[in-house]
Amino acid sequence: MTDGPTAGVDIGGTKTRAAVVTPGGEVLASATAPTPSGGAAMLDVAAGLVERAAASAGVRVAAIGVGAAGVVDPGTGEVLAASDSFAGWVGTNVRTGLGSRTGLPAVVANDVDSFLVGEATWGAVRGVGSAAGIALGTGVGGALWLNGALYRGAGAAGEIGHMPGFGDARCTCGQRGHLETLASGRSVARRYAELAGADGVGAAEIEARARAGDPTAARVLADAGHAVGSAVLVLAALLDVGHVVVGGGLARAWDLLEPALLARLHDEPPVSGHPIEVRRALLGADATVVGAAALARGGL
């Protein structure tokens, strides 16, 4: 446990960001760079960004927390699995690798775990005893905050993006019918191309087209919201979680996703009768680095 500033690092598919964060959740300084290929190169970049951010803030950090893409072993800090977007990432020990590069203690969690810790500590579900986090980005990630603490299981707890039962489309993991095939930015683009015959249209443009009255664009976003609602119902049935926070790039279209999501919850409410409150994330791009810094502060 440390009372001083800590560093949080968000290692994503296209960019890596490091930030110096106070115990009160304030980002003092940050630095960003493109994410390279290969585990060693990714750790080199992360270590350099921590150094740059600390120098910019004019402080020394006591520890580093990392929110890393993929499934991370909570005990060793090794990346156990990752999407095909991350060449040479599986097998990388982030904790020891970053620690040896910086001379600082490092803790490692999945990036969506870190996102949820940020939102539970300073964001949309602050003060909530138990909550689930869902990140709708290129893929779909999930995380669990139970009884006031992050629950990680063997490293993949809460990964609802790969929950089956959502049709027959092939997922990025190679299996079929996962939530990610309906509710990710990549799947929204794929489904729009299939239904509208318009290849190469990304999720942001589909959002714009939906706002301009394109019914196909509105449909694929509504289908994504409906699918997320179904996943929330499963979480509620299994864990009796009454709060869910949703973030990620696709959540920018929250007003287009939320109606179908809430309609799904209304149609089949949990058997417990307890309401489920779904909130949009508050911390934006800071959530993962703030959460990772909080994990470092607690030595988790």
Side-chain angles (χ1 to χ4, degrees):
M1 175 72 72
T2 177
D3 294 328
T6 52
V9 181
D10 178 5
I11 300 178
T14 58
K15 65 181 180 180
T16 297
R17 180 174 180 237
V20 175
V21 183
T22 70
E26 178 186 1
V27 174
L28 297 179
S30 66
T32 305
T35 300
S37 295
M42 292 163 76
L43 294 183
D44 287 343
V45 166
L49 291 174
V50 169
E51 183 178 353
R52 283 171 49 192
S56 180
V59 300
R60 293 175 61 88
V61 296
I64 302 171
V66 182
V71 177
V72 179
D73 186 308
T76 67
E78 179 181 343
V79 179
L80 302 177
S83 76
D84 54 11
S85 302
F86 295 86
W89 189 225
V90 174
T92 301
N93 193 305
V94 182
R95 180 171 61 83
T96 59
L98 194 56
S100 66
R101 285 165 170 79
T102 63
L104 295 169
V107 298
V108 190
N110 168 266
D111 52 355
V112 185
D113 286 343
S114 298
F115 153 80
L116 179 56
V117 171
E119 291 291 340
T121 306
W122 300 110
V125 287
R126 182 178 183 179
V128 169
S130 296
I134 301 175
L136 307 176
T138 304
V140 175
L144 298 172
W145 179 264
L146 302 179
N147 299 320
L150 179 66
Y151 178 74
R152 300 177 67 180
E159 282 291 354
I160 62 169
H162 296 287
M163 179 188 296
F166 293 85
D168 192 49
R170 185 172 294 279
C171 185
T172 56
C173 70
Q175 299 184 44
R176 291 186 177 274
H178 289 180
L179 173 63
E180 190 169 295
T181 66
L182 289 175
S184 69
R186 184 182 298 176
S187 65
V188 163
R190 174 188 54 77
R191 295 195 68 241
Y192 185 80
E194 291 171 353
L195 295 171
D199 290 330
V201 182
E205 175 60 23
I206 291 166
E207 175 189 347
R209 293 187 182 193
R211 297 190 191 286
D214 182 333
T216 303
R219 174 186 167 183
V220 297
L221 288 169
D223 287 348
H226 183 274
V228 172
S230 295
V232 169
L233 288 172
V234 172
L235 287 172
L238 288 175
L239 300 169
D240 202 17
V241 172
H243 294 82
V244 178
V245 57
V246 181
L250 196 62
R252 289 191 301 261
W254 185 243
D255 58 315
L256 301 170
L257 298 167
E258 186 183 34
L261 190 161
L262 295 182
R264 183 74 181 99
L265 301 185
H266 180 269
D267 289 344
E268 295 189 52
V271 69
S272 67
H274 297 160
I276 309 170
E277 186 172 342
V278 182
R279 302 175 181 177
R280 184 180 181 181
L282 289 181
L283 300 181
D286 285 342
T288 298
V289 292
V290 168
L295 288 171
R297 187 167 299 109
L300 304 176

